[in-house]
Amino acid sequence: MEKSKINFKFREKLNKTLEGKHHNYCYQCGACASICPAARYSEKFNPRNILLMTLTGLEDELIRKDSPIWLCTNCYSCYERCPQDVRPIEIIITLKNIAVEEGKAPDEITRFSEAVEKTGESVVHTTTVDRRREALGLKKLEKPEIDELKKLLETE
Amino acid sequence: MKYAFFLGCTIPARAMNYEVSTRKIADKLGIELVDLQDFDCCGFPVKSVDSFTTIVMAAKNIAVAEEKGIDICTLCNGCVVTLAEANHELKHNEELKKRVNKELSKIGREFKGTIEIKHLARILYEDVGVENIKKAVKFPLDDFKLAAHYGCHYFKPSIVYGKFEDPEFPTSLDKLIEATGAPEFNYSTKTDCCGGGILGVTEDVALKMAQTKLDDLKKEKADAMISICPFCSVMYDANQKSVEKIAETEYNLPVLYYTQVLGLALGVPPDELEFKRNRIKPKEMIKKFDEKYGENTVKSEE
């Protein structure tokens, strides 16, 4: 079997992010995995394992299009149960952010946010929507002030 | 009671039944919902891509309501968690607040930390109050077994919501449902995640997750599932037929927004609550309701 490559600097990268430094507190108790719905349904996903891989610096296995991180359902149960305030979900989101930055995210992930950044809304409001709203006596939807949002997102 | 009404992107386009029924019950209960022009996407869809951008987008929306000096009311669990998490972080992290405000200054706005973010269900529970809802009920829904589905982000992470719910055993939606006259209804998969978060990435796992709760509610003979999130409704209502295919069974379980059933109980005529927009139609429920109260609901409109 091929040996896993360890990046000893990976944890430093995480420490520089918004939520990433919490991973240092993980002592591998497994409370997160015991309540995780994604782990119950998919053998590929286990938050405790993801934290172990993070602590070990297995960057190549975590930061890739077919990484288990994309199977997290975002339910926040691990955040509640973790006795060490690791916030596993926030670590997973941080890993996702790194993957996106390095162009290693599935297309489904970036497609959604590209639409938001372009139009200011995640669901495009069509003329059919306008017609239905009018029939129901609901206010017409105004297009979001996209110039403001663009200015806000410019230098990101 | 006055709130800045944060509709989000999905509800006004795809869940008009939720919006219409909300506006009707708000009128009945004296909640003033103010539509603000400058809101845009809460930021939720961007979080996987860049967490900081999400906080900036959320902070901008919060700043818009702060300028008016009113708290925000959302209908969507995705919106409420995004705005409440940003609000909490920014109120407790000066350095982050400075960083975010530097961005907001480009458009002449500022996050101050002066308002609260609440989901409509929480407003009904905390600010209107269960007792006042009970008093306003005209047609008790005592014949129906209504199963509460909270959705994860309604109460988690609990710290950003001031721990108003026990994250392991939430009760507020159950009490709101019981306020309509419906009997207490407990079931073991109540706090299960709908799976919506991974529908786009791995549909088969997502559908299996939805299946567990649908199986449970079939076994427990629920008349309807009560949702307060448009994304959970996508999983259980819009995708129910797909789940039926993989489960090789039939559920025919209506998934209704709380505001729709509350509307019924408060005396809003059923046809004004847009049940025709729910994928699984609550035909039997409405028939039963009409048989019991039909004449009166018409009269109440005169």
Side-chain angles (χ1 to χ4, degrees):
Chain A
M1 213 176 97
E2 210 180 313
K3 248 197 291 182
S4 298
K5 214 169 86 189
I6 290 175
N7 176 3
F8 295 97
K9 301 265 188 212
F10 187 53
R11 292 175 66 178
E12 287 172 26
K13 200 191 271 186
L14 275 172
N15 287 341
K16 284 182 201 139
T17 61
L18 269 184
E19 295 272 353
K21 61 180 178 300
H22 287 257
H23 84 275
N24 294 296
Y25 304 120
C26 176
Y27 52 34
Q28 288 287 294
C29 69
C32 52
S34 72
I35 196 164
C36 175
R40 212 189 313 156
Y41 291 88
S42 164
E43 53 186 41
K44 282 186 236 157
F45 187 82
N46 182 323
R48 177 192 183 184
N49 257 341
I50 288 175
L51 259 301
L52 181 60
M53 287 157 80
T54 306
L55 289 163
T56 323
L58 297 177
E59 185 178 16
D60 292 351
E61 288 175 42
L62 287 168
I63 309 298
R64 57 197 290 167
K65 284 193 181 188
D66 61 350
S67 166
I69 58 172
W70 308 110
L71 299 174
C72 169
T73 62
N74 247 322
C75 76
Y76 283 91
S77 296
C78 56
Y79 189 120
E80 297 294 338
R81 282 273 179 104
C82 177
Q84 285 290 91
D85 196 29
V86 170
R87 310 176 181 182
I89 176 172
E90 300 288 1
I91 304 299
I92 290 167
I93 290 169
T94 305
L95 294 169
K96 288 178 180 177
N97 287 179
I98 294 173
V100 170
E101 207 185 324
E102 297 179 2
K104 292 171 184 167
D107 300 339
E108 297 84 22
I109 304 295
T110 43
R111 204 190 309 134
F112 209 26
S113 73
E114 276 164 14
V116 173
E117 285 167 27
K118 219 180 276 169
T119 62
E121 51 199 2
S122 64
V123 177
V124 179
H125 297 145
T126 58
T127 48
T128 317
V129 168
D130 286 342
R131 261 202 316 276
R132 282 188 186 151
R133 291 186 65 82
E134 204 187 337
L136 288 172
L138 294 170
K139 240 184 228 162
K140 190 174 185 291
L141 294 172
E142 301 293 337
K143 291 276 169 222
E145 198 45 73
I146 189 65
D147 292 346
E148 203 180 42
L149 190 67
K150 275 199 174 135
K151 220 185 269 176
L152 203 54
L153 302 178
E154 238 166 27
T155 53
E156 295 305 321
Chain B
M1 263 174 290
K2 189 172 167 183
Y3 293 91
F5 196 28
F6 192 90
L7 261 179
C9 307
T10 303
I11 291 163
R14 295 192 183 153
M16 292 174 216
N17 46 359
Y18 196 7
E19 181 183 346
V20 167
S21 53
T22 296
R23 292 188 189 273
K24 302 256 173 192
I25 63 117
D27 271 354
K28 293 242 178 220
L29 296 170
I31 307 169
E32 189 186 340
L33 299 172
V34 184
D35 293 291
L36 294 180
Q37 196 61 255
D38 290 342
F39 283 146
D40 33 41
C41 171
C42 67
F44 186 81
V46 188
K47 193 163 180 186
S48 293
V49 173
D50 185 61
S51 305
F52 182 68
T53 303
T54 294
I55 294 181
V56 173
M57 289 173 73
K60 184 234 147 162
N61 287 313
I62 297 169
V64 167
E66 282 181 348
E67 285 159 24
K68 302 281 174 199
I70 37 178
D71 292 341
I72 287 178
C73 165
T74 80
L75 296 183
C76 167
N77 285 3
C79 295
V80 79
V81 76
T82 307
L83 300 179
E85 197 173 23
N87 204 32
H88 177 83
E89 292 297 325
L90 292 168
K91 280 182 182 180
H92 293 88
N93 185 338
E94 267 304 313
E95 203 191 313
L96 182 66
K97 188 174 143 185
K98 259 186 217 155
R99 239 181 104 192
V100 166
N101 272 337
K102 205 180 143 208
E103 298 295 326
L104 292 182
S105 68
K106 293 193 287 194
I107 54 167
R109 297 193 192 268
E110 186 191 355
F111 173 91
K112 294 196 177 81
T114 52
I115 62 160
E116 296 298 324
I117 318 292
K118 283 187 175 188
H119 189 290
L120 175 78
R122 187 175 170 194
I123 290 169
L124 291 171
Y125 184 70
E126 288 185 337
D127 303 330
V128 177
V130 170
E131 288 310 312
N132 284 327
I133 292 174
K134 277 184 192 164
K135 273 184 223 153
V137 165
K138 281 188 187 160
F139 308 118
L141 305 180
D142 43 4
D143 290 332
F144 306 112
K145 289 165 88 175
L146 305 178
H149 173 78
Y150 292 78
C152 303
H153 299 150
Y154 176 61
F155 56 94
K156 290 182 289 189
S158 58
I159 191 162
V160 310
Y161 296 119
K163 297 196 184 280
F164 84 105
E165 281 279 16
D166 177 338
E168 308 271 341
F169 299 102
T171 56
S172 61
L173 183 57
D174 285 87
K175 286 181 186 149
L176 286 173
I177 289 171
E178 287 161 35
T180 68
E184 184 180 341
F185 185 86
N186 279 309
Y187 65 107
S188 61
T189 57
K190 193 183 282 179
T191 55
D192 273 20
C193 169
C194 69
I198 49 170
L199 185 65
V201 184
T202 164
E203 192 181 319
D204 54 332
V205 181
L207 293 179
K208 260 187 226 154
M209 292 179 72
Q211 185 193 338
T212 305
K213 188 176 277 236
L214 290 169
D215 282 344
D216 194 16
L217 290 179
K218 185 181 180 180
K219 196 181 82 205
E220 301 292 343
K221 299 193 168 51
D223 290 302
M225 184 196 294
I226 305 304
S227 164
I228 51 172
C229 170
F231 290 104
C232 298
S233 284
V234 163
M235 285 310 296
Y236 295 115
D237 186 30
N239 276 305
Q240 196 174 118
K241 295 282 169 219
S242 310
V243 178
E244 284 182 345
K245 253 180 230 159
I246 60 159
E248 294 177 0
T249 186
E250 211 174 283
Y251 300 112
N252 203 20
L253 179 75
V255 180
L256 311 173
Y257 288 109
Y258 176 69
T259 46
Q260 291 181 293
V261 289
L262 179 60
L264 276 183
L266 295 180
V268 179
D271 59 354
E272 289 182 23
L273 292 163
E274 289 300 307
F275 290 106
K276 60 177 184 289
R277 286 184 194 279
N278 296 67
R279 191 70 59 89
I280 312 296
K281 313 288 179 240
K283 278 184 206 145
E284 279 182 36
M285 241 182 98
I286 300 300
K287 202 177 138 211
K288 246 177 162 178
F289 180 86
D290 272 341
E291 279 166 11
K292 192 165 178 179
Y293 301 117
E295 278 175 42
N296 299 322
T297 55
V298 177
K299 268 181 203 157
S300 76
E301 271 309 280
E302 286 168 4

